[in-house]
Amino acid sequence: MKSYQKLRTPQPAACQVEEEGAAPVPAGHGKVAPWWVGSGLLVAAVLLSTITVWVLRQVSGGWLGPTPPPKCLLVPESRRFDCYPERRVVVTQALCESRGCCFIQSSPPAEGKQGVPWCFYPPDFPSYTLESLNQTVLGMVGLLVRKEKAYYPRDIEMLRLDVEFETDTRLHIKITDAANPRYEVPLDVPQVTKKAENPIYSLNFSWNPFGVLLQRRETGTVLLNTTVAPLIFADQFLQISTSLPSKFLYGLGEHRGSLLHSLDWNTLTLWARDVSPTESFNLYGAHPFYLLMEEGGDAHGVFLLNSNAMEVALQPAPGLTWRTIGGVLDFYIFLGPDPNMVIQQYQQVIGFPAMPPLWALGFHLCRWGYGSSNGTWQTVRAMRNYQIPQDAQWNDIDYMDGYRDFTFDSQKFASLPSLVEDLHKHGQRYVMILDPGISSTNPNGSYWPFDEGLRRGLFLNNTQGQPLIGQVWPGFTAFADFSNPDTHQWWLENLQHFHAHVPFDGLWIDMNEPSNFMDGSEYGCPPGELDSPPYTPAVLGDSLSSKTVCASAKQKASVHYNLHNLYGLMEAKATASALIQIRGKRPFIISRSTFPSQGRYSGHWLGDNHSQWKDMYYSIPGLLSFSLFGIPLVGADICGFSGSTSEELCTRWMQLGAFYPFARNHNTQNEKAQDPTVFSPAARTAMKDVLLTRYSLLPFLYTLFHRAHLQGDTVARPLFFEFPRDVTTLGLDRQFLWGRSLLVTPVLEPGVDSVIGYVPQGIWYDFYKGYSVNSSGEMLKMSAPLGHLNLHVREGSILPTQKPGTTSEATRENPLRLIVALSSSSTAWGDLFWDDGESLDTFEQGSYSYLVFNVTQNIFTSTVLHASTEATKVTIGTLSIFGVQKPPNKVLLNGQEKPFSYLDNQVLTVSDLGISLNQGFSLQWL
C-alpha cells in the first residue's frame, strides 16, 4: 500500500480531453507540443494549485514541506503521472527528487484505496528524442535516442520505432532495442504486404520529447497522446503513458469488478495467478487489451502484445500508463469505428475463436466430491428421471488415483468406463479435469507420465538444469513445459493411453497459471533479477513466484519470466491438437488461465467463485469482458463453487447461467449438492424450464458461434455494442444481449419478485408470449416471480428456435420454430447456420447449410444460400410473427392458402409447415 496517496480525488470527467498545443503536422516534419504547454486553462490551474498548496501549508503548520518548484505546480492533480510506483515503500521527498521528479504531499488515501501520487514527473523530465524518421513500404522506421539515463538499471539508449499502416482501421506501432534482440511473444500475427491506402486515422509525432499523437480523421478526436509522461525503456522496466479521449474504458483482464473500469487512480495488474476471484487481485489470465468508447459513440481498441508481468495504471485525467518488466512495446490500435468492429479487428490479429461442437452449448454438470463413479452416475440418472436437459457430465480431481494425471481410482471409480459408455448411449458426453503438475515421487518405473517426461527432458527446469519441483494436489510435482513441441507429443501419448480406457469427449485444464502450493519451488527461488527484478508490478503476494514457479525457471522457448502468462495458452494449444488427433472431431476444452488468441483453442470459466449473490452479479461483467477478449465460450460456476447455496440463489443463478455461452453448474466437496434434482419441486421445475428455453434457442446460439468463428462477432454482448450512442448503456453490466437480438434481464438480488432493467429505444417483444414494449430508452420494472426470467426480442430480428429435447442431440431432430419480431416498418432479418454439430472445419470444407430469413411488405422469405445433406434431416415446423398490427384475412405458403392463428397480442402463428430446411419458401399474410 502506498503511503503517499490522497484520500479524496476528483471524479473522472466524462468529457473528452483537449490536447492543448498539439495541432497536427505532416508525419516526420515537425513537433507536437506536450500537453502542458501553451494553455490559459493550465495557467489558471497553476494559480489554483499554488493557492491550494499555500492554504494547506498554513493550515497544516508547514507539514507539507517547502513550496514545490513552479514547474511542479504547473501539473494538475489528475494529470500527475506516477514517478515512484513501487509498493511497500515510504516515498520521501529525497527518494522522489533522486529520480528528478516533483514531490507534493497530499492526505493519505483510505485503506485499500489509491490516490494522487506524491511523486510525479515534471514537464521537463528527460525522455527520448526522435532522431530520424524514414518512410518504408508499409509505414515508417525511426530512431529514438535517450541522452540522459533514467532511474532503472540497464537503460537502453537507442530504440527502433517501427510503424506499419496495416489496414485502414489498424495501426501497428512497435518500439524495441535498436541494437540487441529482445524477447517477443511467439504469437502468430498477420503479416501485411501493402500499406493502407485510406486510413481513417492520422498519425503525428513529437520529436523532442518523443511522443505519438493519433487522431481519428473524421472527428479529430485524439486517441493517443504519449507526450503526457516520459517514455522509459530499460531492460526490466518499460513504461509509456497516454491521455485518453473519455473515461469509458473496458477490458484489461483478468480482474473481478464492473465492466466499466474506474479511472479513479486504479491500477490493474496482469500476471496469471491462482486465487479465488476477488476485487483488485490479478486473476487467472492476462489480457493487455482495452476498448474505449469515445464521445459520440465511436470506439477504438489498443492491444499491447507483451506477455511479461505488467500493470496498467488508470487516472482521472483521463489517462493510462502501461508498465511491463520485459519484452518490447508492440502496440496494435484498432479504429473500429463501432465497438463490434473493434473486437473483430482485434481478432483479425489474435485469431478468431474455434467453432465449438454443438454439445458444448448444452448444460454441463460437475462437482468436486461425487466420491465415486457410482455417485456420479446416480446424479446423471436423477437428471434423466426428471427429464432435465443435460449434455455433459464432468468429474473433478477426485476421480484420479492419488490426484495423479492420466489415472483413475480403481476402487471408487471402477465403473467409470461403464459410466462413460452409458453417457454415450444416451447422447451425452464426458469431460474430466487435468492439471499440468505431474507427480514426481512415485517409485521409478511405476508412473509413465513422469518417467517418460523426465527421460525426454520435458519439464520446467531450475537454474541448475534439473526439473523444478513444486507441490500441487498429488504432492511434489514437476511441471510440463508446453513451450517445447516435444511435450505436445508426450501429452498426446498420455491422453491416448487414458482414452483407451476412459473414452472422454472433452478436457478441463485447471491449475495452469501454473499454480503451485509453494512459492517458487521446494527450495524457493535463487537470488537474481529474474525472481527479484528491479521493479515488481503490484502482483498479489508481492512476488512473481507467489503461488507459482520461479520466474528464473528454464523453458524451451525462454525463461518463465517471459512465458508465465502464456502457460495456459500453450497447454490449451497442445490439448486441442491432442483431442483432434484422438477423436477426429472438434475439440472441447475449458481452461482456467488464458492469454490473447486462446479462443482458437479453448473456452474459459471464471474460476472458483462463491455461492453469494454478488458473485452471481460479477459473473456478467466477467463473461462480457471475455467476449471482448475473443473467448466467447465462457461462463461461471452456476450456483457458486465454494460455500453452500440457497434454493433461491441457485434458482436465480440457474436462470442467469442458462444464458452463459458456456453453462455449467459446479460446486466443491463437503457442501450440499446443488444440481437441479436436489431442490423442491417448484425450484426444480423453474430450473428445468429455463434449461428447456436454452435448448430451444440452440440453433440461434450455434449460429452466433458460427459468426464468432467466421468473423469475430461477440456472442454474449454488452448493450452498448448495439446502442453505442446511448450513453445510458455505457455503464450497464447487469443485463446483456445474445447477439444483437435477445435481451437477458436476470434477477440478481434476494427476496424480490420484480427486476428493474434498461430497455433501449425501440420495440421489444416478450420472448415467451410476444407482447410488445415500445421503449423510448428507459428503465422499466418487470415482473419476475421465482420461476421467470425476463427475455426480450429486439424488433427487426428473426430467431431460429427448436422444440427442445433433453440433449442437444435429441433437440437436433425436432422441428424448428422461427420467431419473427417485426420492426416498426414491418421488416425483419435473421440467419441460421446448420451442420452435423461436431465435424472439423465444416464451413471451410463446405459441409454446412446457411439460410437467410427476411420479412418485407408482409412477406417472409427463407433463402438457402448454401446447402448440405445434414439439413435434409430437419424441418421448419412453425412460424411465429410478433407485431402483426391487424388480423390477416389469409396466409399463403408458396402461394397456397394455409391455416393460421392470430392473438390479441398481435402474434400470428402458422404451424405444421413441414418444410425441409434445405428448401427455400415464402409465406405471405394478407
Side-chain angles (χ1 to χ4, degrees):
M1 197 61 57
K2 287 187 176 180
S3 62
Y4 58 83
Q5 294 167 324
K6 190 175 178 182
L7 175 63
R8 304 183 69 167
T9 58
Q11 293 300 307
C15 60
Q16 134 186 346
V17 177
E18 291 187 12
E19 303 299 325
E20 290 82 13
V25 296
H29 295 283
K31 298 181 180 180
V32 176
W35 60 265
W36 51 73
V37 177
S39 170
L41 288 173
L42 287 180
V43 172
V46 173
L47 292 173
L48 182 60
S49 297
T50 304
I51 292 168
T52 302
V53 171
W54 182 86
V55 170
L56 285 172
R57 289 176 196 288
Q58 305 313 306
V59 172
S60 65
W63 71 271
L64 291 176
T67 302
K71 68 177 182 181
C72 297
L73 295 173
L74 178 69
V75 185
E77 282 191 347
S78 68
R79 298 187 179 191
R80 292 178 182 172
F81 286 82
D82 202 343
C83 178
Y84 218 111
E86 283 84 349
R87 303 297 175 107
R88 315 296 179 187
V89 174
V90 177
V91 181
T92 64
Q93 184 168 351
L95 282 175
C96 179
E97 292 178 350
S98 71
R99 293 187 169 183
C101 291
C102 296
F103 186 81
I104 299 179
Q105 288 176 284
S106 305
S107 302
E111 181 66 28
K113 299 290 184 180
Q114 301 178 48
V116 180
W118 289 8
C119 184
F120 57 94
Y121 295 105
D124 59 354
F125 190 93
S127 185
Y128 286 87
T129 300
L130 179 57
E131 292 287 331
S132 65
L133 189 66
N134 298 300
Q135 301 292 324
T136 66
V137 173
L138 298 177
M140 291 174 269
V141 62
L143 179 67
L144 309 180
V145 177
R146 174 177 277 282
K147 295 174 181 173
E148 292 184 47
K149 283 193 170 292
Y151 43 85
Y152 284 106
R154 297 184 301 284
D155 232 6
I156 297 173
E157 295 181 15
M158 290 193 298
L159 302 176
R160 177 186 169 106
L161 168 70
D162 285 287
V163 178
E164 294 184 355
F165 301 96
E166 294 197 341
T167 72
D168 289 345
T169 56
R170 185 173 82 226
L171 176 66
H172 187 188
I173 299 176
K174 184 175 175 182
I175 302 173
T176 188
D177 190 333
N180 299 296
R182 293 179 60 80
Y183 164 75
E184 297 186 28
V185 181
L187 187 69
D188 292 331
V189 294
Q191 301 298 314
V192 297
T193 57
K194 183 182 178 182
K195 181 179 177 180
E197 294 180 357
N198 297 295
I200 65 172
Y201 49 86
S202 63
L203 178 66
N204 294 288
F205 296 99
S206 166
W207 287 63
N208 186 17
F210 166 73
V212 174
L213 183 86
L214 180 67
Q215 291 177 281
R216 186 180 296 281
R217 283 191 185 276
E218 184 177 357
T219 62
T221 303
V222 177
L223 309 182
L224 298 176
N225 179 0
T226 69
T227 66
V228 294
L231 167 66
I232 296 178
F233 201 122
D235 183 38
Q236 290 181 274
F237 185 88
L238 291 71
Q239 178 176 279
I240 190 167
S241 303
T242 182
S243 64
L244 299 171
S246 86
K247 66 177 183 180
F248 299 108
L249 184 140
Y250 313 84
L252 298 173
E254 180 177 7
H255 298 94
R256 184 189 204 186
S258 58
L259 179 64
L260 175 64
H261 286 301
S262 167
L263 270 59
D264 193 8
W265 305 107
N266 180 21
T267 297
L268 303 168
T269 305
L270 281 64
W271 183 248
R273 166 68 193 246
D274 173 6
V275 62
S276 215
T278 306
E279 299 87 322
S280 81
F281 288 0
N282 50 293
L283 301 182
Y284 311 106
H287 291 272
F289 166 81
Y290 71 77
L291 171 75
L292 189 136
M293 292 299 298
E294 304 155 31
E295 282 202 340
D298 287 339
H300 71 273
V302 177
F303 172 41
L304 173 55
L305 180 50
N306 181 294
S307 62
N308 289 90
M310 182 188 307
E311 62 191 15
V312 185
L314 308 175
Q315 62 191 76
L320 175 150
T321 298
W322 298 93
R323 294 188 198 105
T324 183
I325 60 172
V328 301
L329 296 176
D330 192 1
F331 289 102
Y332 289 86
I333 303 98
F334 311 100
L335 275 289
D338 75 54
N340 292 288
M341 294 172 71
V342 170
I343 302 307
Q344 290 174 345
Q345 292 156 12
Y346 176 41
Q347 290 174 93
Q348 287 167 5
V349 170
I350 63 171
F352 296 128
M355 183 67 187
L358 178 63
W359 65 266
L361 307 184
F363 179 60
H364 301 248
L365 192 56
C366 184
R367 79 164 300 173
W368 179 17
Y370 284 122
S372 67
S373 49
N374 287 340
T376 310
W377 210 336
Q378 185 175 349
T379 299
V380 173
R381 287 169 173 151
M383 291 285 286
R384 290 177 192 157
N385 183 53
Y386 288 113
Q387 295 184 303
I388 300 172
Q390 182 189 1
D391 258 83
Q393 180 61 51
W394 297 39
N395 277 124
D396 207 319
I397 56 174
D398 46 332
Y399 81 88
M400 299 179 184
D401 181 7
Y403 299 137
R404 291 188 295 271
D405 277 355
F406 313 113
T407 68
F408 66 95
D409 188 320
S410 61
Q411 302 299 315
K412 296 177 180 177
F413 281 80
S415 62
L416 183 57
S418 299
L419 165 60
V420 174
E421 182 182 5
D422 178 69
L423 288 168
H424 290 165
K425 285 180 179 178
H426 286 83
Q428 296 172 303
R429 306 301 197 277
Y430 180 70
V431 180
M432 85 280 186
I433 196 170
L434 277 180
D435 294 338
I438 303 298
S439 176
S440 62
T441 56
N442 306 279
N444 189 34
S446 66
Y447 185 50
W448 191 87
F450 178 75
D451 294 339
E452 190 64 15
L454 185 65
R455 187 184 72 80
R456 300 187 198 179
L458 304 179
F459 298 121
L460 272 66
N461 287 334
N462 58 28
T463 54
Q464 305 303 310
Q466 298 300 313
L468 182 146
I469 302 299
Q471 185 175 8
V472 202
W473 295 112
F476 289 113
T477 56
F479 297 86
D481 177 12
F482 291 103
S483 78
N484 186 343
D486 294 340
T487 305
H488 293 213
Q489 178 61 30
W490 163 86
W491 193 246
L492 167 64
E493 291 169 20
N494 279 292
L495 288 169
Q496 285 173 326
H497 296 157
F498 190 76
H499 192 268
H501 300 283
V502 180
F504 56 85
D505 301 285
L507 288 170
W508 170 21
I509 51 176
D510 191 14
M511 306 290 285
N512 54 352
E513 292 73 29
S515 177
N516 185 0
F517 297 164
M518 298 173 162
D519 290 345
S521 77
E522 59 181 333
Y523 302 116
C525 296
E529 291 194 327
L530 292 177
D531 292 300
S532 302
Y535 180 81
T536 300
V539 297
L540 179 63
D542 299 318
S543 167
L544 297 183
S545 62
S546 179
K547 300 307 176 202
T548 189
V549 301
C550 298
S552 58
K554 296 179 178 179
Q555 297 187 235
K556 178 76 171 181
S558 186
V559 289
H560 193 72
Y561 182 90
N562 294 326
L563 300 179
H564 173 82
N565 281 339
L566 299 174
Y567 194 91
L569 168 63
M570 290 178 168
E571 184 189 16
K573 190 173 182 179
T575 306
S577 173
L579 275 175
I580 290 170
Q581 292 180 71
I582 292 169
R583 299 182 68 248
K585 298 175 182 178
R586 281 177 229 163
F588 171 75
I589 300 159
I590 295 295
S591 174
R592 192 166 72 180
S593 189
T594 58
F595 189 80
S597 80
Q598 192 143 342
R600 296 169 59 187
Y601 310 106
S602 82
H604 172 64
W605 98 103
L606 296 172
D608 296 339
N609 59 4
H610 299 270
S611 296
Q612 298 177 2
W613 289 90
K614 71 171 185 176
D615 288 64
M616 178 167 61
Y617 153 67
Y618 278 127
S619 72
I620 299 177
L623 74 92
L624 294 178
S625 291
F626 274 87
S627 291
L628 270 58
F629 300 148
I631 305 177
L633 189 63
V634 60
D637 283 346
I638 298 170
C639 300
F641 173 71
S642 62
S644 282
T645 192
S646 68
E647 181 163 290
E648 181 188 14
L649 172 61
C650 198
T651 303
R652 293 300 195 190
W653 209 330
M654 282 290 293
Q655 290 169 344
L656 168 60
F659 286 84
Y660 293 156
F662 164 60
R664 181 186 69 163
N665 179 316
H666 177 49
N667 72 331
T668 190
Q669 61 180 351
N670 303 322
E671 299 288 355
K672 60 185 181 183
Q674 62 187 36
D675 63 84
T677 69
V678 302
F679 294 103
S680 71
R684 186 173 64 239
T685 299
M687 296 178 186
K688 176 181 176 179
D689 286 349
V690 77
L691 288 177
L692 287 170
T693 300
R694 177 190 179 90
Y695 274 64
S696 76
L697 282 159
L698 283 180
F700 175 57
L701 181 60
Y702 193 64
T703 300
L704 291 177
F705 269 96
H706 166 67
R707 298 177 69 87
H709 170 63
L710 185 64
Q711 61 191 38
D713 285 5
T714 52
V715 176
R717 190 172 301 179
L719 271 69
F720 75 82
F721 269 49
E722 291 299 316
F723 303 92
R725 285 167 176 74
D726 181 349
V727 295
T728 305
T729 65
L730 297 179
L732 295 181
D733 59 7
R734 300 172 72 86
Q735 300 166 270
F736 58 96
L737 293 158
W738 266 12
R740 63 178 301 275
S741 307
L742 189 64
L743 177 62
V744 183
T745 306
V747 171
L748 302 172
E749 298 171 344
V752 299
D753 59 6
S754 65
V755 61
I756 295 175
Y758 185 71
V759 181
Q761 184 174 9
I763 302 171
W764 295 81
Y765 298 92
D766 175 77
F767 171 79
Y768 308 98
K769 300 293 186 181
Y771 295 102
S772 64
V773 176
N774 197 340
S775 175
S776 60
E778 54 200 310
M779 291 287 184
L780 295 179
K781 185 176 182 180
M782 309 173 195
S783 176
L786 189 60
H788 183 70
L789 172 70
N790 278 279
L791 299 173
H792 289 88
V793 185
R794 184 181 180 183
E795 65 169 305
S797 304
I798 300 176
L799 272 55
T801 71
Q802 202 161 19
K803 181 182 177 182
T806 54
T807 64
S808 62
E809 193 171 288
T811 301
R812 277 179 59 83
E813 300 174 1
N814 293 335
L816 287 161
R817 174 191 175 212
L818 305 180
I819 297 176
V820 179
L822 293 178
S823 69
S824 56
S825 57
S826 296
T827 61
W829 185 93
D831 62 344
L832 172 65
F833 177 82
W834 191 271
D835 63 8
D836 68 6
E838 62 179 4
S839 293
L840 293 163
D841 303 324
T842 56
F843 177 78
E844 291 77 5
Q845 295 176 6
S847 303
Y848 68 95
S849 292
Y850 181 67
L851 289 77
V852 169
F853 310 118
N854 267 295
V855 173
T856 184
Q857 297 180 337
N858 290 2
I859 301 174
F860 172 96
T861 57
S862 173
T863 305
V864 180
L865 296 184
H866 194 278
S868 70
T869 55
E870 281 294 327
T872 61
K873 303 174 185 177
V874 65
T875 60
I876 297 174
T878 304
L879 202 59
S880 295
I881 306 170
F882 298 169
V884 177
Q885 297 295 316
K886 59 183 181 180
N889 292 316
K890 59 181 175 179
V891 170
L892 303 177
L893 174 64
N894 293 332
Q896 300 297 312
E897 198 162 338
K898 190 75 178 172
F900 65 92
S901 69
Y902 181 83
L903 302 178
D904 291 342
N905 58 352
Q906 299 184 338
V907 175
L908 168 65
T909 301
V910 186
S911 303
D912 301 320
L913 295 174
I915 299 172
S916 170
L917 198 57
N918 264 359
Q919 180 184 342
F921 71 94
S922 66
L923 185 140
Q924 183 178 15
W925 57 100
L926 302 169

